[in-house]
Amino acid sequence: MVSGRAFVNFRLGDAENTAELIDQKLCRVLGVDRVFRSSRAMHGGTPFPPTLAAEAAGCAVMLVVVGHHWLTGHRIDDPDDWVRAEIAHALREDRPVIQVLTTGRGPLAAADLPAPIAALADRPHLDFHPGDAGLDRLVREVRRYVAQPSGSLFLTTLPPSARSPGIRLGTTEIDGTLHGDSIVFGPYAGSISFRLAMRYRRLDTIVAALPATSARDVLFTVTGDGRTLAQSSVTPGDPLPLTVDVTDVLTLTLAAHRPDSGQPDLAWASPVVHP
């Protein structure tokens, strides 16, 4: 596995919508910082040729999106064609390169390609069909190459993607022990979400209702992409360790609900996610 980003190579006028669909899916799963597609990643003022050359040569994997018009007009024979140049940079640096073939499109043959990129014909191909199954298959292939997180981290180090009012991130005290990097729900129940992007496998935390001024239990719920992963009823003053499988979760949501308003505070103590 190498460092770098997944590079989506595509030709204007050929399967652009497919390239955009693939880019959007990979960005959701891997994170925007781990995927490069020129139309999205390059902005005004970006030096075009050196940026494309560097990204192509240093990519973790290149996806060459090939539709039925990829060879039309023989643009690939032009040494200044950027589709050709990007592929050449990746091949020259021996980056992994995969032909992504749209529905009904056969693999490229060496006879169709100029000499500098003729080796593309010998690289693997993937028949891509629009829809969740086709995208999920592509994601599984790309994840073999794009680096995943190497260690565990506190959930609070990730920026929340959604957050109810009255939630604070910081230190909380449970049974005389201070827990930093915690999530505390204040005067009423709520939820907070984080984008895990399928990078993590396990969540460890302690859930607690503080202080123990109410006799009524509080419901803590963990959901992944709208699906309930865990749910625990916690008695105030009796904290509960919680371990949850979050494998392949894109968006993780922590929620808590109390039967009465005002008290107690609800804490997710030092939640940690593990790859």
Side-chain angles (χ1 to χ4, degrees):
M1 183 179 290
V2 298
S3 61
R5 303 200 271 185
F7 189 113
V8 182
N9 169 277
F10 68 101
R11 181 174 294 290
L12 293 173
D14 177 73
E16 289 176 73
N17 291 340
T18 299
E20 183 175 3
L21 183 66
I22 290 170
D23 176 60
Q24 290 173 349
K25 178 68 173 183
L26 292 177
C27 285
R28 286 184 60 219
V29 173
L30 303 176
V32 174
D33 60 327
R34 294 171 186 254
V35 186
F36 181 88
R37 181 175 65 92
S38 57
S39 297
R40 172 187 53 78
M42 297 182 68
H43 308 287
T46 302
F48 198 79
T51 298
L52 287 179
E55 290 287 346
C59 68
V61 60
M62 176 174 285
L63 304 176
V64 180
V65 180
V66 182
H68 291 273
H69 303 290
W70 196 82
L71 293 170
T72 299
H74 300 284
R75 285 180 287 174
I76 199 68
D77 294 323
D78 182 354
D80 293 327
D81 176 51
W82 268 105
V83 172
R84 167 177 166 168
E86 291 166 3
I87 297 169
H89 285 300
L91 292 174
R92 191 177 303 120
E93 297 299 325
D94 200 26
R95 302 288 89 175
V97 180
I98 302 171
Q99 298 180 51
V100 180
L101 309 174
T102 59
T103 304
R105 179 62 166 89
L108 295 167
D112 297 326
L113 303 169
I117 63 168
L120 176 61
D122 298 324
R123 296 300 180 102
H125 69 270
L126 188 151
D127 295 317
F128 178 78
H129 302 282
D132 291 340
L135 287 168
D136 289 343
R137 180 187 175 201
L138 183 68
V139 166
R140 287 193 297 271
E141 185 65 26
V142 171
R143 287 181 69 181
R144 294 173 53 198
Y145 302 99
V146 176
Q148 299 297 298
S150 59
S152 305
L153 54 77
F154 286 110
L155 193 58
T156 52
T157 63
L158 300 175
S161 58
R163 179 176 177 176
S164 298
I167 293 177
R168 67 175 177 85
L169 308 180
T171 301
T172 190
E173 182 176 350
I174 299 176
D175 289 343
T177 299
L178 293 177
H179 295 265
D181 298 288
S182 297
I183 302 169
V184 181
F185 293 12
Y188 48 81
S191 65
I192 187 169
S193 298
F194 300 89
R195 190 172 64 82
L196 299 190
M198 289 184 167
R199 299 178 188 175
Y200 300 94
R201 299 288 176 264
R202 191 178 86 245
L203 165 70
D204 288 326
T205 186
I206 299 172
V207 290
L210 305 167
T213 57
S214 172
R216 304 185 69 179
D217 288 357
V218 174
L219 191 64
F220 289 83
T221 304
V222 181
T223 60
D225 303 324
R227 177 172 56 92
T228 299
L229 304 177
Q231 197 167 63
S232 297
S233 183
V234 177
T235 300
D238 188 15
L240 177 70
L242 193 64
T243 295
V244 183
D245 184 352
V246 296
T247 302
D248 288 341
V249 168
L250 288 170
T251 300
L252 182 75
T253 300
L254 308 181
H257 172 74
R258 62 170 61 84
D260 49 357
S261 61
Q263 287 289 341
D265 283 347
L266 313 177
W268 301 81
S270 303
V272 176
V273 286
H274 309 274

